[in-house]
Amino acid sequence: EKRPVITDLPADRKDDPKVGKLPSCCRNGTILPGLMDKSQSQSIFQLQVFKLPPDDNRTALTPPQKWKINGALNPSYKCGPPIRIDPTQFPDPSGLQATSASVASWQVVCNITKPAVPRCCVSFSAYYSDSVVPCSTCACGCKITETGKCSPREPAMLLPAEALLVPFANRTEKAKAWAKIKHYDVPKKLPCPDNCGVSLNWHIDSDYSNGWTARLTLFNWGNDPFQDWYTAVKMNKAYEDYENVYSFNGTRMEKEVKSTIMFTGLKGLNYLIGIKNGTDPEKNPMVPGKQQSMISFKKKHFHNIDIKGGEGFPTRVLFNGEECAIPKRFPKNNAQHLNSNALMVLCIAILTFLFMTDRFH
């Protein structure tokens, strides 16, 4: 083919006698950052390039042009033209302690391009609020076929916590019922879905005088699993007081990325599976792949951190190198709703009293 699409081989082909046996072969499309694991930060694949008439000169080598790298969730990369460099040295295929040089080598530099819309999103929740702030409406873009049935401008409706485990198509009734219970307004035209393949939930779990805890949950709504996934959260004030994460690996990025903590899966638990059928497909909706962990913070550097005011939530979240959309609001304290309701009742009582006293004059 003149414009071939090359896909990395899965890990089980690493020792295949025909296509494997290459160093750093068969990563299944996953190349980790060098900060995370240098041994898995490169990938090698091999392809045969044939000449087409009239280019029959065997000594004239022209590398493939117009490279482009795409991923299932990762950002796209725009590549420059191949540049001739010194021949690459490879270990001798015979297994001897020797190296052999390639006939010719070229280097193609690819730079990340920011997509028009994100491909992952974040929801916020907290122990002091009954409602979850879901991913924003059309956080990962709106489909043209949806715009006539839903509103791309209407803010996402608040949800009960259990609705996070339900696909968006099955959340409508839960959202309406929750709005009725909590006396929230229901728009005439319901908001459109977020359309994100991966979502993350940041939940404030506790807040004490000497520290606080959060829970990070990852949801995979797509069919493809993510092996060796990683996510990074930027915490402004809370970064200095990060203490530990218990079901993930956690690394504080001291020099590389300011105020950022990187989380990866533990060995044997680094596989975020795709969405699958429920226990009863006829009654229960699809179930997303899910992983979660508790994260603890101290209050050593910032004693007066305003958790309920939003300082306990990340300001930036990335998943597998992709920046995720973050809500523009935080969970509200239940007491705020109670105080507003009590104030309304008090105002009605005063107006009723004034009306009744006026009638007797």
Side-chain angles (χ1 to χ4, degrees), residues 1-6 47-55 62-68:
E1 296 184 12
K2 291 185 177 181
R3 296 178 179 271
V5 177
I6 304 166
L47 67 153
Q48 292 181 338
V49 182
F50 295 89
K51 284 180 173 290
L52 295 174
D55 185 17
T62 303
Q65 305 289 323
K66 297 181 180 180
W67 289 82
K68 187 178 181 181

Side-chain angles (χ1 to χ4, degrees), residues 3 74 101 157 276 311 323 345:
R3 296 178 179 271
N74 304 74
M157 296 178 64
K276 60 182 180 179
E311 293 181 348
E323 185 166 359
V345 172

Side-chain angles (χ1 to χ4, degrees), residues 123-161:
S123 62
F124 289 155
S125 58
Y127 72 92
Y128 52 80
S129 178
D130 294 335
S131 300
V132 174
V133 178
C135 290
S136 302
T137 304
C138 297
C140 299
C142 269
K143 299 177 181 178
I144 299 177
T145 55
E146 294 175 342
T147 53
K149 302 176 182 178
C150 58
S151 172
R153 297 181 180 84
E154 192 69 37
M157 296 178 64
L158 298 178
L159 299 171

Side-chain angles (χ1 to χ4, degrees), residues 5-37:
V5 177
I6 304 166
T7 304
D8 194 9
L9 292 170
D12 57 5
R13 303 298 293 275
K14 181 178 180 180
D15 297 322
D16 188 280
K18 293 183 178 180
V19 295
K21 303 293 185 180
L22 293 173
S24 302
C25 164
C26 315
R27 298 288 191 197
N28 199 31
T30 301
I31 303 176
L32 303 180
L35 298 172
M36 184 175 167
D37 190 344

Side-chain angles (χ1 to χ4, degrees), residues 183-206:
H183 305 289
Y184 298 148
D185 293 332
V186 178
K188 294 181 180 179
K189 204 172 186 180
L190 296 179
C192 292
D194 53 68
N195 293 316
C196 295
V198 171
S199 63
L200 299 89
N201 174 250
W202 184 271
H203 176 80
I204 304 296
D205 196 67
S206 65

Side-chain angles (χ1 to χ4, degrees), residues 45-111:
F45 60 93
Q46 182 174 292
L47 67 153
Q48 292 181 338
V49 182
F50 295 89
K51 284 180 173 290
L52 295 174
D55 185 17
D56 294 329
N57 187 353
R58 296 185 63 183
T59 60
L61 301 176
T62 303
Q65 305 289 323
K66 297 181 180 180
W67 289 82
K68 187 178 181 181
I69 302 176
N70 290 325
L73 180 78
N74 304 74
S76 299
Y77 291 80
K78 186 177 181 180
C79 303
I83 300 174
R84 187 74 177 262
I85 60 174
D86 294 335
T88 307
Q89 303 292 322
F90 292 99
D92 194 284
S94 64
L96 299 176
Q97 295 294 326
T99 57
S100 58
S102 61
V103 176
S105 294
W106 290 265
Q107 178 177 276
V108 179
V109 178
C110 302
N111 293 315

